[in-house]
Amino acid sequence: MKKDESNLIRIQTEKSQNREHSTPIYMTSSFTFNNAEQGRALFSEEEEGNIYSRFSNPNTSEFIDKMVSLENAEDGFAFASGMAAVFAGFASFLKSGDHVVATRALFGSTHQILTQLLPRWGITSTYLDTKNSDAWENAIQSNTKMMFVETPSNPGLDLVDLEFASLLAEKHNLILHVDNTFATPLIQKPIELGADLVSHSATKYIDGQGRTIGGIIVGRKDLIKEVRFFARQTGPSLSPFNSWLLSKSLETLPVRVEKHCSNALQLATALEKDPELLWVKYPHLSSHPQYSLAKKQMKLGGGIVTINVNGGFERAKKFIDSVKMASLTANLGDTRTIVTHPASTTHSKLTDEERELVGISPGLIRISVGLEDIDDITNDIRQALEGSKG
Ligand SMILES: *Cc1c(COP(=O)(O)O)cnc(C)c1O
């Protein structure tokens, strides 16, 4: 285990007089002042310390400290959900008249924020074609302030070269914001490649056990100062209990991610030649169109495998109904294997044309590979392919 990964276990809130081994949960809405002078000093930020749990809380600070260490960032702020983090990443920096460039294949709610909500406040956006990086520069306008990137994409597993994106962002003086939910910092650290802000849905691999919603942004100190100002006033903060849960979850993140990835690689390899599939996509399979970038940028291939069943929409639905062990749910990054049919669920709001543009064919199935025995996972997928025939 590397030092930043050991920090996931070692970083801990100072012990109380009870000398507890595991951090207790600080279920308190506010914190007392020893006297009037301390109240003044805390509010004027002359003294550092907790005031009110909308601003900070020991459990939340512990979770943030671990994520900051893991992403090699300077500072962070934790949110009640991944979407609250993503939205704060926009709202803290953009004003009427500003413009955003973003990769097209985005998480559904991020797409809705860019296309439905930000325009209400006069903020526009343009999608970038990840397959044609030469066109990126043309999308940048004189009023562009931010570049928003997801890599690998959901569910198409297309990659963006983060070094290329950060050079372009630097050249045009844009804030580069990367949603690193799919990869986790154990697979790629966007800040080391030049990103300014990194957000996560902690709901996914960080909790990884299907128990809570949560989110975080980490990044440069001066930028997080703006995020903190926005969040302290508007109140999307993570609760003490969920912070405690997520901080605890981080202690096992390295071993979980390693197992998710080795199971996913084995499943992808086993399915690659299956005649019932039109294709299998996984970043660390040599057949992935961006295999060399995947090897350069991602330490492991991730926990998601996408397959395209031969037989389109109807076959895909039959496949979903034939699965026995895997869960049918819209989450991902969980200990349990999950199968999802994006065209009829997570991406059903997109038009056929929009789905085509982001590579979501009617037969595409997203498999979030869990921590079960790999033979059980492979057998379940194989028997569902068999059971959905004809
Ligand atoms: C799930 C997800 C989100 C949203 O996070 P919530 O915790 O559900 O609010 C954002 N980005 C990506 C890539 C996600 O997978």
Side-chain angles (χ1 to χ4, degrees), residues 81-83 107 150 179 181-182 201 203-204 213-214:
S81 72
M83 284 325 300
F107 185 71
E150 268 184 43
D179 181 334
T181 300
F182 259 54
S201 167
T203 315
K204 312 296 165 52
I213 302 283

Side-chain angles (χ1 to χ4, degrees), residues 68 122 152 173 197 208 211 261 281 323 327 355:
V68 164
N173 203 18
L197 292 172
R211 305 172 298 188
C261 294
K281 212 162 168 191
V323 160
S327 299
R355 272 196 294 274

Side-chain angles (χ1 to χ4, degrees), residues 104-144:
R104 181 183 296 277
L106 291 176
F107 185 71
S109 296
T110 308
H111 166 73
Q112 299 291 345
I113 288 177
L114 284 172
T115 58
Q116 307 295 323
L117 293 174
L118 293 185
R120 291 186 189 173
W121 300 300
I123 300 159
T124 54
S125 58
T126 303
Y127 283 141
L128 300 163
D129 179 358
T130 44
K131 297 214 170 62
N132 180 10
S133 47
D134 293 340
W136 281 36
E137 201 136 14
N138 296 332
I140 298 170
Q141 307 173 359
S142 58
N143 59 341
T144 307

Side-chain angles (χ1 to χ4, degrees), residues 226-237:
E226 296 297 325
V227 172
R228 182 175 294 114
F229 172 77
F230 172 82
R232 277 176 68 142
Q233 313 316 318
T234 56
S237 329

Side-chain angles (χ1 to χ4, degrees), residues 339-351:
V339 295
T340 309
H341 182 222
S344 64
T345 60
T346 52
H347 292 71
S348 58
K349 299 267 185 338
L350 273 63
T351 62

Side-chain angles (χ1 to χ4, degrees), residues 267-268 270-271 274 276-277 280 305 307 309 315 319-320 322-327 337-340 365-369 374-388:
L267 177 70
L271 295 178
D274 197 302
E276 296 305 316
L277 297 174
V280 173
V305 176
I307 58 176
V309 296
R315 175 84 187 268
F319 169 87
I320 294 280
S322 305
V323 160
K324 291 200 173 102
M325 182 186 77
S327 299
T337 296
I338 294 167
V339 295
T340 309
I365 306 277
R366 182 182 77 194
I367 307 172
S368 171
V369 183
I374 183 60
D375 292 337
D376 291 341
I377 299 172
T378 311
N379 290 339
D380 192 31
I381 301 300
R382 282 240 164 86
Q383 69 77 26
L385 281 170
E386 208 47 45
S388 58

